[in-house]
Amino acid sequence: MIPSAFAYSRATSLQDALMQLQSHEDAKLLAGGHSLLPLMKMRLANPAKLVDLGGLKEELRGVRREGDRLIVGALTTHSEVAHSKVVQETLPALSEAARQVGDLQVRNRGTVGGNIAHADPASDLPAIALAFDAEIAVATLDGTEVIPAHEYFLGPLLTALPEHGLVTHLSFVLPETGTNSVYEKYPHPASGYAVVGVAAAGGVGTDGTVSHIRVALTGAGEVAYRASAVESALAGQTPTEDTILAAAAHAAEDGDIAGDLFASEEYRRHLCQVYTARALRRVFASQLA
């Protein structure tokens, strides 16, 4: 389909983008466009104006480490994240998730900030954001604020992003030294979105028991969630096939699991357990060997 008519302008700076966003009624920001443009073509979204952020790559693009955090600019593409040496070395789960976003075109054009701003309940990055205590930095004309991931995702396509706010970067807490991190996903065969996606990180102490564990799921319900019941069941335990299966059995307890034409609620609950177990086996592979 053809979208409704709209005005278009290219932002020259972050401040210019924010001014245009606030001054023009029903304006939308355009980054990679892979979330917004399909909605416009189906006329599910009809913005009166698009403000193109493509000229702000120097301000809002790139990956760097700052202390115990990994900073990812909002205009960094999924492909850039997936192939970043810094990401691969410090937060492998994020690299794995970025490699599984959509298809080649989406990964080459779609951006981290656009993905997080759109907040599709079946997208991959929300699970990573929750598992690694991400903070979402948001700019408005009133200044900059930082929103913790656990307060940011409110529902399907619903976030705590202010009405005239712009995501500038994400900041992930890096796992402790000696901790493994992974992302496991069952993709929808047509869209590539997560039917269930699991981000997990863990490590063991000197006594061989689990001293650090983080698990978060996406795709299973209306919003991504931390699997606290899984974490509680595994913390302090020796990682074995039995303890992993017992912990993974709680994978669907912290989320509002949904069903649809492709996967029923019962099937998704099953997938939550199966893919959580797969992720945990990889996290603790050296202990299980």
Side-chain angles (χ1 to χ4, degrees):
M1 294 180 64
I2 299 175
S4 301
F6 58 89
Y8 170 89
S9 66
R10 190 173 176 87
T12 58
S13 67
L14 177 59
Q15 186 73 5
D16 178 48
L18 293 172
M19 291 180 64
Q20 292 195 55
L21 187 62
Q22 182 160 309
S23 63
H24 200 290
E25 185 178 355
D26 195 24
K28 294 290 184 182
L29 298 172
L30 178 65
H34 281 276
S35 297
L36 178 59
L37 295 183
L39 293 178
M40 292 175 62
K41 288 181 178 180
M42 293 185 289
R43 301 207 176 188
L44 297 175
N46 297 290
K49 181 177 183 178
L50 293 186
V51 181
D52 190 344
L53 302 178
L56 309 185
K57 293 179 181 179
E58 293 299 320
E59 292 183 70
L60 302 179
R61 196 170 190 167
V63 179
R64 67 185 186 276
R65 179 174 182 172
E66 291 186 359
D68 66 345
R69 285 188 171 272
L70 181 71
I71 313 300
V72 181
L75 291 184
T76 310
T77 66
H78 303 299
S79 181
E80 289 169 335
V81 170
H83 294 95
S84 165
K85 295 288 187 184
V86 175
V87 177
Q88 292 171 1
E89 293 171 358
T90 61
L91 195 57
L94 175 57
S95 178
E96 291 185 6
R99 287 176 186 273
Q100 298 181 63
V101 172
D103 56 24
L104 185 62
Q105 287 181 314
V106 171
R107 291 191 291 274
N108 283 336
R109 291 290 299 173
T111 64
V112 170
N115 184 284
I116 290 296
H118 186 60
D120 192 294
S123 62
D124 303 288
L125 297 188
I128 303 293
L130 290 170
F132 299 100
D133 298 316
E135 294 178 340
I136 294 92
V138 177
T140 67
L141 287 177
D142 296 323
T144 302
E145 64 175 306
V146 175
I147 307 173
H150 68 271
E151 298 177 4
Y152 179 83
F153 300 104
L154 305 178
L157 309 182
L158 181 64
T159 72
L161 184 66
E163 182 179 2
H164 300 298
L166 186 159
V167 175
T168 60
H169 67 268
L170 275 71
S171 170
F172 301 88
V173 175
L174 294 174
E176 302 171 6
T177 302
T179 300
N180 294 326
S181 72
V182 305
Y183 181 70
E184 285 284 340
K185 171 184 176 179
Y186 178 74
H188 191 289
S191 67
Y193 277 109
V195 179
V196 167
V198 182
V204 298
T206 55
D207 62 355
T209 63
V210 176
S211 58
H212 177 83
I213 181 68
R214 292 287 188 277
V215 181
L217 282 81
T218 189
E222 294 186 345
V223 67
Y225 64 92
R226 271 280 292 277
S228 300
V230 174
E231 298 172 355
S232 297
L234 198 54
Q237 301 292 317
T238 300
T240 66
E241 180 65 16
D242 287 342
T243 56
I244 284 175
L245 288 175
H250 300 283
E253 292 181 7
D254 293 290
D256 185 12
I257 310 302
D260 55 32
L261 292 176
F262 179 79
S264 66
E265 177 184 340
E266 180 182 8
Y267 184 47
R268 269 197 170 87
R269 288 182 179 276
H270 173 69
L271 288 176
C272 288
Q273 297 174 11
V274 169
Y275 277 79
T276 297
R278 290 186 182 184
L280 292 174
R281 287 190 193 100
R282 289 183 58 206
V283 166
F284 297 108
S286 60
Q287 285 75 36
L288 296 175

